Amino acid sequence: MSTLFLRTLGLVLLLSVVNAKPTGLQNRATSIDASSIDGKFLFGYQGFFRRPGQGNDHWSINYGETPGPSNPGAVQVDMLPAVEQYPDECLFTSNFILPDGSKAKLFESNCTGIVDTHFRWMQENSIDGILVQRFYGDIGDASFLQLLGQIRTAAEKYGRVFAVEYDLSQIESSDFSNVVSNLLHDYTTNVAPLVSSSAYLHHQGRPVLELWGFGINKTKLNAADCSSIFHALRSANPNPYVVMGVQQAWRSESSSNPDYYNVYTQADVIQPWTVGAYDNSNYQGFYSGTTVPDKALTDQLGIGYSPVVLPGSSDRNRNGGTGQFGNRYSGSFYEAQLKNVLQIKPKFVFGAMFDEFPESTQAIATLRSNEVPPAANPGFYGIDNDMDHNFYLQMAGRYAVQLHQLWA
């Protein structure tokens, strides 16, 4: 074999390594398969932050006070976003004074640069995509319709997936007369045109649709009305593959509330809402005593199972400043959940949440403890000082890769 041949072969092999596409823990840059929900890691996406005076301002801050509202109840968040990667045109200034003397900036969700940045982060961290919240009380809000279009564009650009999730928690049976017709109109008019997107998530040839809130507050929405919503949308055109977000103790309702249980078990996938059901001290017991039996029953019923994971939560300011801030335990709480849910090979994992600052469950870029306003009123807390701002999104991405491998 000639020396020239060996040198040529070596050069070819070297170039093949250099030009190889990234795999494993590197970013999942190729487009996600939008034809199946199996093995996906999907975040819930709120998209409900607006500039002052635009309505739906879930920052809910009295912007007139300096150095920021002195009353904790006037502030709906305990943590603040890290905004250095967002375009300036998507930001606005609050009166909260940061340790360096500058004023904290907040973002506007329905700004194209915000949505684009969020989907770029998903691609960089191997996150498959989102279930975008469609709040029943806001289905007529033009800014949320604008957001759906921005999400479609960004998902297609970065090869991620998206699907719509109706948040039904605002619906009451006492005022139900137009609910079904309103939902059907929104689905056929505003959601159906989205499903032709190459990025809209499908399963078994049907567009994915989540219905969230069944059984969460039984005093507001009874089982019969839950059933009416489910059957109306399930039979709509295009016929959806239905994920149902239900209360976390749903299994026990087979005897205590069979009318609700019978609705839950007609879904294609059940997703128990477990935020607030456990904390770091009792999570392992919850996993073995609730999550594992949940998965076993859904397997028996032939229904998919989607566990919820969260990095932590806190709502001290929303509750008027009483109690303590939450604790993320330097990521160990989140990692314990991520490790455990992989053991049961779920249909897909739901991350609560991508951008939920009011409940402090957000996974995206957040200020560190030494970067938040130092003033005691109303007070804020941050992630660990040695963490990357996107630490929790990065952690989710590492386990998303392992989930992909389980279903490969």
Side-chain angles (χ1 to χ4, degrees):
M1 190 176 292
S2 72
T3 301
L4 178 60
F5 174 82
L6 289 174
R7 287 177 178 173
T8 303
L9 178 61
L11 179 60
V12 169
L13 290 173
L14 176 61
L15 288 174
S16 68
V17 172
V18 171
N19 294 324
K21 291 182 179 179
T23 58
L25 296 181
Q26 294 174 300
N27 78 61
R28 200 182 189 196
T30 55
S31 293
I32 301 301
D33 176 14
S35 69
S36 173
I37 201 171
D38 289 342
K40 295 290 192 291
F41 196 115
L42 304 173
F43 271 100
Y45 192 90
Q46 304 282 34
F48 54 17
F49 298 112
R50 303 289 182 268
R51 291 179 182 269
Q54 288 189 342
N56 283 300
D57 173 22
H58 283 257
W59 296 117
S60 296
I61 292 170
N62 179 350
Y63 298 101
E65 292 189 46
T66 302
S70 57
N71 173 16
V75 180
Q76 296 294 297
V77 296
D78 288 1
M79 309 180 85
L80 293 172
V83 300
E84 68 272 9
Q85 293 193 48
Y86 296 136
D88 286 341
E89 66 267 20
C90 297
L91 303 176
F92 60 95
T93 303
S94 75
N95 284 326
F96 292 116
I97 307 300
L98 300 177
D100 65 2
S102 64
K103 291 184 177 181
K105 292 184 178 181
L106 304 173
F107 65 82
E108 176 187 15
S109 296
N110 61 327
C111 182
T112 297
I114 296 296
V115 180
D116 187 89
T117 301
H118 287 168
F119 275 86
R120 173 171 59 82
W121 287 346
M122 292 178 218
Q123 184 194 63
E124 291 172 349
N125 291 286
S126 297
I127 301 300
D128 296 297
I130 61 169
L131 285 160
V132 57
Q133 315 292 286
R134 189 114 178 89
F135 300 93
Y136 176 76
D138 296 320
I139 57 176
D141 187 316
S143 68
F144 281 100
L145 294 175
Q146 175 191 16
L147 182 70
L148 287 176
Q150 293 165 325
I151 286 171
R152 175 178 184 163
T153 299
E156 293 172 354
K157 175 180 177 180
Y158 290 103
R160 304 300 95 182
V161 299
F162 74 102
V164 168
E165 174 182 337
Y166 280 117
D167 185 322
L168 308 173
S169 59
Q170 298 163 310
I171 298 174
E172 299 192 26
S173 290
S174 60
D175 186 23
F176 193 77
S177 58
N178 296 317
V179 167
V180 170
S181 60
N182 289 342
L183 285 170
L184 283 173
H185 179 265
D186 184 71
Y187 180 71
T188 56
T189 303
N190 298 317
V191 178
L194 298 172
V195 306
S196 62
S197 168
S198 60
Y200 197 94
L201 184 60
H202 286 67
H203 194 76
Q204 297 175 346
R206 295 150 59 197
V208 171
L209 181 72
E210 175 154 354
L211 305 178
W212 188 90
F214 287 176
I216 302 291
N217 188 339
K218 295 179 178 63
T219 63
K220 292 178 65 175
L221 189 62
N222 63 43
D225 290 338
C226 290
S227 181
S228 295
I229 292 171
F230 168 75
H231 286 289
L233 286 168
R234 179 61 177 276
S235 58
N237 183 27
N239 177 237
Y241 181 87
V242 177
V243 179
M244 193 178 293
V246 304
Q247 68 101 350
Q248 61 92 8
W250 66 277
R251 268 186 303 113
S252 66
E253 295 194 273
S254 62
S255 55
S256 61
N257 287 295
D259 290 345
Y260 281 98
Y261 180 83
N262 290 338
V263 177
Y264 306 154
T265 53
Q266 294 179 69
D268 296 298
V269 179
I270 284 181
Q271 183 189 95
W273 185 246
T274 53
V275 174
Y278 53 81
D279 57 24
N280 192 60
S281 65
N282 64 355
Y283 168 65
Q284 293 297 338
F286 182 90
Y287 171 75
S288 59
T290 299
T291 305
V292 172
D294 274 1
K295 177 59 163 56
L297 180 56
T298 54
D299 286 349
Q300 179 184 334
L301 295 171
I303 299 171
Y305 182 70
S306 169
V308 172
V309 295
L310 70 154
S313 63
S314 181
D315 56 5
R316 176 183 177 273
N317 286 334
R318 289 203 307 164
N319 289 326
T322 60
Q324 302 295 315
F325 287 119
N327 190 334
R328 292 195 173 192
Y329 299 94
S330 300
S332 62
F333 177 54
Y334 199 29
E335 189 159 33
Q337 298 166 72
L338 291 164
K339 284 182 176 178
N340 277 347
V341 296
L342 293 186
Q343 303 304 311
I344 59 173
K345 193 181 179 183
K347 191 76 170 174
F348 75 96
V349 172
F350 183 90
M353 299 283 285
F354 194 84
D355 56 342
E356 173 64 89
F357 280 89
E359 295 180 6
S360 301
T361 61
Q362 80 287 344
I364 57 171
T366 301
L367 290 183
R368 305 179 185 100
S369 293
N370 62 2
E371 296 172 328
V372 300
N377 268 327
F380 295 96
Y381 88 105
I383 62 174
D384 292 5
N385 292 335
D386 60 351
M387 289 179 173
D388 185 276
H389 285 149
N390 264 328
F391 174 87
Y392 288 95
L393 194 64
Q394 293 164 357
M395 178 183 285
R398 292 194 294 273
Y399 284 92
V401 170
Q402 295 182 38
L403 179 64
H404 302 153
Q405 293 168 347
L406 277 178
W407 281 91

